Amino acid sequence: MELFTNQVLAGIATGAIYACMALAVVMIYQAIDHLNFAQGEMAMFSTFISWQLMQWGVPYWWAFLITLVISFAGGILIERLLFKPLAKAPVLTNVAGFIALYGIINSVAGLIWDFTIKQYPTPFGSSPFLGSQLISTHQAGMIGVTILLLVALYLFFQFTRIGLAMRAAAALPESARLVGINTSWMIALGWGMASAIGAIAGILIAPVVFLEPNMMLGVLLYGFAAAVLGGLTSPLGAVVGGFLVGIFENLAGTYIPGVGNELKLPIALALIITVLVFKPAGLLGRPIVKRV
Amino acid sequence: MSAAEEVVTEAPAVEAVPKRAMTLGLGTSLVVLAALVLAPLFVKNFIIFQMTMLLIYGLAVLALNILTGGSGQFSLGQSAFYAVGAYTSAILMEHAGMNYALTLPIAGVICFAFGFLFGQPALRLSGVYLALATFALATAMPQLLKLHFVEHWTGGVQGLVVTKPDAPFGLPMSQDMWLYYFTLAITIGIYVASVNLLRSRSGRAFMAIRDNEIAASAMGVDVALYKTLAFGVSAAITGVAGGLGAIAVQFVAPDGYTIVLSISLFLGMVVGGVGWLPGSIVGSAFIIFVPNIAESISKGLSGAVFGVLLFLVIFLVPHGARQVALIAQQILGKLKKN
């Protein structure tokens, strides 16, 4: 039983990261209707920026804040430079653009910071949380930050003018434009926020997976899975999906014989597909209404 | 159309390609064919090998093109079908001692069944959901091939070595050259069959589903059947390409068939032009040669160079090689008039 509780708690902790990543994915999906395949690499690059700042002697939380600002600006810049011109191009061309962006960021990060594995500090410490052996303070910190982030996003989208405008631009772009919302900038804002949220996910997971240019690959896949499982139209769904995927991944790795580390991802994906076959819009997603 | 309606009606994933614009004209086809037949006579064996791979990847891109460009379904799982085809050929040749040419139709049939069955659960998914499902298939395949209980057949992590066939009837040809012409013949056969398939009743059903699923079903198209059929046909062609690939490379191993292959094939389709069958060869050339060019420009930054080149292509011609062909056609038309 202790093993079970242990695995569930560890699953919740990694799930928190998947939830952050899934939130970032959903942010962009809401804004432009595409899955951003380069999201993980953007987060990795942000994490490297914060690491570099700390190497230069900037204290942790300042580095954290500065990185968020840089990531936000970077996200907007990428949208303006690369994806705004592609807005009218076919969907699949956009996907190719994401793959190209992935290659560029990955390769540039490798050139600047090389591919050796680096230690990344944690502000929470790695001692057991409140004296319990089940979960470390860093894991507890990850869960805490994710929940804070979700609450902040909820307040932003529910109670601020600009949050409302972003929701309007995502839901009914034509009508939003008619009431004077600059939908084009709302999309850019979505990119900026997604990029900043991704940076948070990267910084939180870096002490666990260590810092290197390919660190986010697995995380992004689980993030996608979480977003799709929870429903691509629902930020809350993304978070719920993240925790579920984290828990399931850990339990499957522990209890299903022959799964181990190698088959964890395919098993997690198989579960998600099974769920989707019965609930195609995801657990908390809005069903898609089609009209001919 | 009012704004509200625009939102609830999902735009098709792939824009419609007029039927006549799907192929090259007869004259252009003959020129391309002549170039493909004559080229190996003048180059070294290694280049012939690369040209063989060009045709093989071209076939795989063509298969994806039938699925995505034809029926509007998106797949990241093509590497899995490619792997099944490659392993079928390799196992039949090495364990059963079968003739290489006979293994290809078997690989095709097995992959057709595999794709058709996979298409069943995939029926309920579309767009990104289908992409995720096929993605799962692609990530699972290399791991499944390494499993213990199939190790005896697949060779596990080590993979299998495949013998390269000699030219038959004592033809005075190098192995590479024979394999090239063999591949070329199969490619031409499959290309012509694919063109005819898309022009047939089934092909029109695919395209109707791509353009508007509900309207297609209202017209009496059996949507479920044709969607799974598209998956099956696409998987079968990919399987044949995989088998040919195994013979050409003389080696199969699980790590040769990862998701990277699926992504490459996808990029090949986009660069060639979605729904434009001749573009498959152009796309295949892009995914074979551009990484090499990127590597030669800068070793450390090859990924970035590849990304920038890809961005250039999609900025300049968002519809891929099809757009280039269309522009060329218009210029030629103007020249003729003058």
Side-chain angles (χ1 to χ4, degrees):
Chain A
M1 197 57 208
E2 203 190 316
L3 179 70
F4 180 78
T5 335
N6 226 334
Q7 291 297 329
V8 170
L9 282 175
I12 291 178
T14 38
I17 300 303
Y18 301 159
C20 276
M21 216 53 222
L23 265 179
V25 167
V26 166
M27 289 294 303
I28 288 202
Y29 187 80
Q30 290 279 61
I32 59 173
D33 279 340
H34 299 310
L35 286 179
N36 181 0
F37 289 96
Q39 194 88 64
E41 300 314 283
M42 286 162 60
M44 174 273 292
F45 206 83
S46 303
T47 313
F48 263 114
I49 292 175
S50 70
W51 180 82
Q52 191 64 59
L53 287 169
M54 277 187 264
Q55 291 295 304
W56 288 334
V58 181
Y60 185 93
W61 289 109
W62 277 109
F64 184 84
L65 274 182
I66 298 172
T67 305
L68 287 197
V69 174
I70 296 178
S71 307
F72 186 79
I76 289 183
L77 200 68
I78 289 176
E79 196 275 337
R80 290 283 113 172
L81 283 181
L82 297 178
F83 288 95
K84 192 165 182 270
L86 285 180
K88 288 219 164 64
V91 182
L92 298 179
T93 308
N94 270 287
V95 177
F98 289 122
I99 295 171
L101 183 63
Y102 176 100
I104 294 174
I105 298 181
N106 188 286
S107 166
V108 168
L111 192 79
I112 304 179
W113 291 292
D114 71 50
F115 285 87
T116 52
I117 292 173
K118 294 173 179 65
Q119 293 275 356
Y120 193 90
T122 160
F124 308 110
S126 49
S127 54
F129 181 60
L130 296 178
S132 116
Q133 291 299 313
L134 294 173
I135 186 170
S136 72
T137 28
H138 181 74
Q139 288 173 317
M142 291 186 339
I143 299 171
V145 171
T146 309
I147 292 171
L148 266 181
L149 186 65
L150 186 66
V151 171
L153 278 179
Y154 174 77
L155 295 177
F156 172 77
F157 280 117
Q158 288 296 325
F159 298 110
T160 63
R161 280 191 72 82
I162 195 144
L164 185 65
M166 279 178 75
R167 277 165 54 208
L172 289 169
E174 296 288 317
S175 316
R177 217 168 290 142
L178 284 177
V179 296
I181 293 169
N182 188 338
T183 47
S184 156
W185 270 102
M186 293 301 133
I187 290 173
L189 208 56
W191 269 83
M193 288 177 64
S195 169
I197 295 170
I200 297 176
I203 290 173
L204 285 178
I205 200 161
V208 183
V209 297
F210 299 111
L211 188 59
E212 49 114 4
N214 294 320
M215 66 182 239
M216 293 306 278
L217 187 62
V219 182
L220 177 70
L221 297 182
Y222 286 112
F224 273 155
V228 171
L229 177 66
L232 277 166
T233 48
S234 153
L236 178 65
V239 172
V240 172
F243 284 119
L244 284 180
V245 170
I247 295 170
F248 181 77
E249 177 211 0
N250 260 3
L251 291 182
T254 317
Y255 288 104
I256 303 178
V259 168
N261 266 330
E262 298 272 82
L263 274 177
K264 257 184 181 178
L265 181 64
I267 293 269
L269 290 170
L271 166 85
I272 290 153
I273 293 156
T274 319
V275 172
L276 284 181
V277 166
F278 294 102
K279 228 171 162 332
L283 291 174
L284 295 175
R286 165 164 47 84
I288 303 159
V289 184
K290 280 191 198 169
R291 198 183 294 171
V292 186
Chain B
M1 189 195 270
S2 79
E5 233 172 299
E6 198 170 63
V7 174
V8 286
T9 312
E10 253 189 316
V14 181
E15 45 136 15
V17 181
K19 209 164 57 179
R20 283 185 60 191
M22 269 184 146
T23 53
L24 293 172
L26 184 67
T28 330
S29 302
L30 287 177
V31 172
V32 172
L33 187 62
L36 284 173
V37 170
L38 295 177
L41 300 175
F42 306 102
V43 294
K44 290 197 195 95
N45 270 346
F46 177 69
I47 298 179
I48 297 180
F49 167 74
Q50 280 197 320
M51 288 175 66
T52 313
M53 290 313 289
L54 177 78
L55 293 178
I56 292 170
Y57 279 142
L59 269 182
V61 175
L62 177 85
L64 183 60
N65 228 336
I66 291 176
L67 185 66
T68 308
S71 81
Q73 301 181 92
F74 180 57
S75 166
L76 280 175
Q78 298 301 104
S79 64
F81 301 128
Y82 192 89
V84 169
Y87 267 92
T88 307
S89 277
I91 289 171
L92 286 176
M93 278 169 73
E94 295 312 305
H95 287 292
M98 201 180 262
N99 182 293
Y100 62 96
L102 288 178
T103 65
L104 294 176
I106 300 177
V109 169
I110 290 180
C111 284
F112 179 86
F114 190 51
F116 193 81
L117 289 179
F118 185 79
Q120 296 287 346
L123 272 179
R124 296 208 52 183
L125 309 171
S126 61
V128 288
Y129 299 99
L130 184 61
L132 188 82
T134 50
F135 177 85
L137 185 67
T139 48
M141 190 49 75
Q143 309 300 343
L144 296 177
L145 291 170
K146 286 180 200 166
L147 286 181
H148 268 296
F149 63 93
V150 289
E151 214 169 357
H152 172 67
W153 294 101
T154 62
V157 189
Q158 307 290 322
L160 286 175
V161 176
V162 180
T163 6
K164 204 173 224 176
D166 286 315
F169 323 118
L171 285 173
M173 262 188 207
S174 68
Q175 286 177 326
D176 283 313
M177 197 179 276
W178 161 246
L179 196 61
Y180 174 80
Y181 282 117
F182 180 67
T183 310
L184 184 63
I186 293 178
T187 308
I188 292 169
I190 291 180
Y191 175 78
V192 172
S194 307
V195 169
N196 284 326
L197 171 74
L198 287 184
R199 281 183 181 157
S200 71
R201 189 183 146 90
S202 306
R204 286 198 304 274
F206 288 167
M207 283 181 260
I209 292 170
R210 172 195 73 191
D211 294 339
N212 195 327
E213 204 174 311
I214 298 171
S217 81
M219 288 191 310
V221 173
D222 186 344
V223 173
L225 175 71
Y226 282 103
K227 272 182 141 180
T228 40
L229 203 62
F231 247 105
V233 170
S234 170
I237 298 176
T238 314
V240 173
L244 279 168
I247 299 168
V249 182
Q250 302 179 56
F251 183 60
V252 289
D255 291 330
Y257 309 109
T258 56
I259 184 74
V260 178
L261 176 62
S262 285
I263 293 176
S264 297
L265 295 177
F266 166 73
L267 290 180
M269 177 178 72
V270 170
V271 169
V274 181
W276 189 58
L277 298 185
S280 305
I281 286 286
V282 183
S284 158
F286 185 87
I287 57 178
I288 290 182
F289 297 118
V290 173
N292 292 344
I293 297 171
E295 192 105 332
S296 68
I297 292 177
S298 159
K299 261 215 138 57
L301 276 176
S302 60
V305 174
F306 181 76
V308 170
L309 288 174
L310 186 56
F311 258 121
L312 277 182
V313 171
I314 59 181
F315 271 151
L316 294 175
V317 278
H319 296 275
R322 192 178 107 217
Q323 209 169 344
V324 179
L326 212 69
I327 295 168
Q329 216 173 23
Q330 280 165 355
I331 294 174
L332 274 178
K334 268 186 196 157
L335 285 179
K336 265 182 199 164
K337 265 185 201 163
N338 289 342

